Structures are given as structure tokens and as C-alpha cells.
Amino acid sequence: MKETYILEACVDSVESAVAADRGGADRLELCANLVIGGTTPSMELYRRVREKVDIPVHVLIRPRFGDFLYSEEEYEIMRREIRSFIREGADAVVFGSLNADGTIHVEQMKGMMEAAGGKPVTLHRAFDVCRDPWEALDTAKKLGIHTILTSGQEASCYDGRELLKELEETSRGSVEIMAGGGVCAEIIETLRDMSEICCFHMSGKETLESGMIYRNPKVNMGLPGISEFEVWRTSEEAIRRAVRVLKNQ
């Protein structure tokens, strides 16, 4: 059994942050809008989470839903947001930027890392839509990326488990490989037993029914196919089960 495991909980609300903390998560990735894969959280959400939990908080920097090909204006906003969260005491920042050809946008990554002022940086799942994971890993090493969050370039980390194992073996001692995408207690157990991966990322989400009694069925304010009357929250028990697996309890 390895000496150190990390469970990172991805949350987009104060309620989820508190549940993850109570469940035993080691740290948080804080974002907004998990329903669309996560975007940059508001500063007031970050501040309130800091008031409620003591574990480290890594902040996602993603200006919008969709691809990771960013305009100069989007890039400038991301740099400003990074500086703002670092000034507020964020323990690390999470971002990624690509060129149109599927390679990592080195210049934008360098600029954002400079804005982070030496704080640890996680390259998020933009890595999973890179054209060549080995080229992207080499670039990440040269940039000084601390962690790569990846599902092994598949829809889930279970499907990408073989590549995850190879990435961890290749990157050991240089870049931390964090498994994400469909992570739960059972998946953690599988990956832990077949690889040396020590870091896992999960939302542990459960769907809660809206408290709204009156509902207008003719209007949808969000994405097609997603109910207006569901709320995603992190399950304290799902986090706790994952922690038990990691600590072999």
C-alpha cells in the first residue's frame, strides 16, 4: 500500500464544499456550473467556501463552456482571474489552453503560469482532447506543470485506465497524474490496485429535486434535455466511501 493518497473533490457550491470536507476529502477544486463541465467560480463563492472549510482550495479558471481554444480577450480575462484568486489565497489554480491543431498553447500557458506567481498549477482535462498525450506530457513537464487531471483520453478514467497507468509510470517524479472522470469508490479501488496512481478527482454528485412547487413546463432556461428542477450536490457519503477505499479501511 502506498503511503500517500489524495482525494480531490470537485465542487460548485458552498453546500458541496462542506459535504466534501465532512466526508474527508483532502482538498477541493472549486468551480461554477459543473453541469457544463465547470467554469470559473465567482470570487464571493470562493470567499464563502474559505469561510466554511479549512482544506486546500484549487480554483478552476475556465471562462466559458466548450473548447479550450481561447481568444486574446478570453486569455486576458483568465490571467486577471488567476492573479485575483492568488491574491485571495488560492492554494493552486487549474487551467488549460490549446492551439487549433490540438497541441498545448505554450505561450498562453506560460502567461497564465506567470500570473499564478509560482503557485502549483493543474493542467485540466484539456489534456484529454490533445492530439498526442505523450507530446502534451512532455510539454507539461517543460512548463513546470505540477499535476495533470486526466481520464486517459477516454470518456471515463475506467475506460482510459491503461493510458493512465502508462502516463503515471512515465511521469513519476516529474508530474503528478490525477485520475478524473467517473471516479467513485469502486473505480478508485480498481485503479489503485492496477497502477501507482495516488491522486483522484471526483464530484461525488447526487441529484436533488428542486424545492419549486409551481413549475412552468413551457419554458427551459438552460441546456436542452437538462431539467430546470434538479440540483447537483456533492454527496458526503460518496466522498466518505472513496476515502475509506484509499485508506484501506
Side-chain angles (χ1 to χ4, degrees), residues 6 11 21 41 44 47 60 69 79 87 93 97 105 134 145 226 229 231 234 242:
I6 296 292
V11 302
D21 185 30
E44 291 308 318
R47 287 170 176 158
L60 176 68
L69 179 64
R79 289 203 303 163
R87 283 196 299 268
V93 282
S97 177
H105 196 312
W134 303 109
I145 295 291
I226 297 179
F229 304 106
V231 179
T234 293

Side-chain angles (χ1 to χ4, degrees), residues 9-23 25 27-31 34 45 49 53 55 202-206 208 231-236 239:
C10 184
V11 302
D12 64 356
S13 68
V14 176
E15 293 86 349
S16 289
V18 170
D21 185 30
R22 289 177 177 169
R27 69 186 186 217
L28 304 177
E29 183 198 275
L30 181 64
C31 65
L34 259 177
L45 173 59
V49 166
V53 304
I55 58 177
M202 66 181 289
S203 65
K205 67 178 179 288
E206 58 183 347
L208 306 179
V231 179
W232 286 9
R233 289 285 187 263
T234 293
S235 163
E236 180 178 334
I239 298 295

